[in-house]
Amino acid sequence: MSGPSSIAATLIVRNEARCLARCLTSVAPFVDRMVVIDTGSIDDTVAIARAAGAEVHHLPWPDDFAAARNHALACADADWNLVIDADEWIMAGGEALRDFCAGPPRLGRICVESDTQDGANTARSWITRLLPRGARFEGRVHEQVASPLPRVRLPLHVGHDGYRDEQIAVKRDRNHMLLLRELAALPDDAYLLYQLGKDAQMRADLPAACDYLARALAATPVEANWRHALVTTAIPLMSQAGRVPDALALADAEFGQWPESPDYFFVLGDVLLDQAMADPAQAVGHWLPLAEAAWEQCLTIGERPELDGSVAGRGSHLAQHNLDVLRSQLKALAA
């Protein structure tokens, strides 16, 4: 009679001395082994990994995240693999791993809660990170799991601070070049175009970001799990790029798809405010009341953390803050 399934945490790392101990300490109570693939660290990463009880293997960086991930899975040789990055850590739900892995083969989607670049907000993404034996990754960058198995959410929440301004600089150029190489091979891949849009946004190239996101929107099926994040990224980005009419047109086209998304109504309110500034003659009588109604709808809906790409607070305090500021300004105008 076979025993319980083995669970390994797998990581690919390079120069992660800043955060690796935090990650491994959070993971260790919930897995049987921790397998770290080092791709050329010159800091204390390897020593920190070993001190935390991880196995360390070495791999020259292959310029391919899927290849590195798959090498980690092969080294782990476990029944189940929790794929996690050094700048992540388990916040809650680690105890759910063992029960999930006692079930049939399927892919586990966990909630990764990422600090935004300025650290002011938290965006939530549901990402496939718990893999049974045999599942593998594909994609040179922003790799995805290639498997016909069903994808099931489990209540595991992971923090991530790798998008903060002080951390993102080291990743910016590397990921950009990998994305362009991948685009040359897959010029019409919707998810890749979405990631290129976000990459261009991170590099402050707003025209390129808008173009990539427009192409992604045209190619992304309505049912794609990332479409909510794509739409709520594209609307404010178009407005920031000075393309307010395009942002309003996209918001109008997507209106029927997101009746229960506070994120949709939050970014809609922001764009309506931008339009009010561009059209002051109709601001008080038209655009500002519409913005107010959009943010009120955020509060009516409430928080929806299950939506991919949702930002914490858009269904509560962030929307309330915008309403308070807007109403204060309208009151001052009426005085």
Side-chain angles (χ1 to χ4, degrees), residues 16-258:
E16 300 288 3
R18 174 189 72 88
C19 54
L20 183 58
R22 176 187 62 186
C23 173
L24 295 175
T25 300
S26 77
V27 169
F30 308 110
V31 300
D32 301 305
R33 294 163 56 220
M34 298 182 294
V35 177
V36 169
I37 306 298
D38 185 77
T39 63
S41 295
I42 58 174
D43 63 4
D44 292 333
T45 292
V46 170
I48 290 169
R50 288 177 174 150
E55 305 170 21
V56 178
H57 302 260
H58 297 275
L59 175 72
W61 175 237
D63 263 357
D64 187 318
F65 277 92
R69 295 282 192 206
N70 291 337
H71 183 73
L73 296 175
C75 290
D77 190 27
D79 296 321
W80 292 86
N81 295 276
L82 173 66
V83 178
I84 192 165
D85 290 334
D87 56 7
E88 299 172 343
W89 66 97
I90 292 179
M91 301 170 63
E95 62 279 355
L97 281 173
R98 193 68 63 181
D99 288 342
F100 188 94
C101 295
R106 62 229 191 272
L107 304 172
R109 297 179 70 205
I110 69 173
C111 184
V112 179
E113 303 188 12
S114 299
D115 290 347
T116 54
Q117 281 179 262
D118 60 5
N121 296 313
T122 300
R124 298 168 289 212
S125 300
W126 289 89
I127 305 177
T128 301
R129 291 289 195 84
L130 186 57
L131 283 59
R133 182 186 296 275
R136 289 294 184 267
F137 286 92
E138 64 180 10
R140 188 183 302 274
V141 62
H142 296 291
E143 63 282 5
Q144 299 287 295
V145 180
S147 173
L149 291 172
R151 297 171 193 247
V152 180
R153 291 185 179 186
L154 68 157
L156 176 62
H157 290 254
V158 168
H160 173 228
D161 65 4
Y163 288 156
R164 289 194 173 188
D165 290 338
E166 61 269 27
Q167 310 306 331
I168 203 68
V170 298
K171 304 176 183 179
R172 183 180 291 119
D173 292 338
R174 176 200 63 189
N175 285 2
H176 179 62
M177 296 308 299
L178 291 176
L179 283 165
L180 291 178
R181 289 173 63 183
E182 195 78 345
L183 183 67
L186 300 167
D188 299 315
D189 185 274
Y191 186 74
L192 180 59
L193 290 166
Y194 168 43
Q195 294 299 334
L196 276 159
K198 293 201 299 181
D199 174 74
Q201 179 187 20
M202 180 181 64
R203 292 182 293 104
D205 187 350
L206 297 188
C210 289
D211 291 344
Y212 280 128
L213 293 179
R215 291 170 62 188
L217 285 161
T220 300
V222 173
E223 66 275 9
N225 67 288
W226 69 85
R227 188 168 179 96
H228 176 263
L230 170 58
V231 168
T232 56
T233 297
I235 290 173
L237 189 63
M238 289 177 178
S239 185
Q240 291 164 22
R243 295 166 55 171
V244 176
D246 291 340
L248 287 171
L250 175 57
D252 184 62
E254 294 288 329
F255 182 81
Q257 298 295 326
W258 311 110

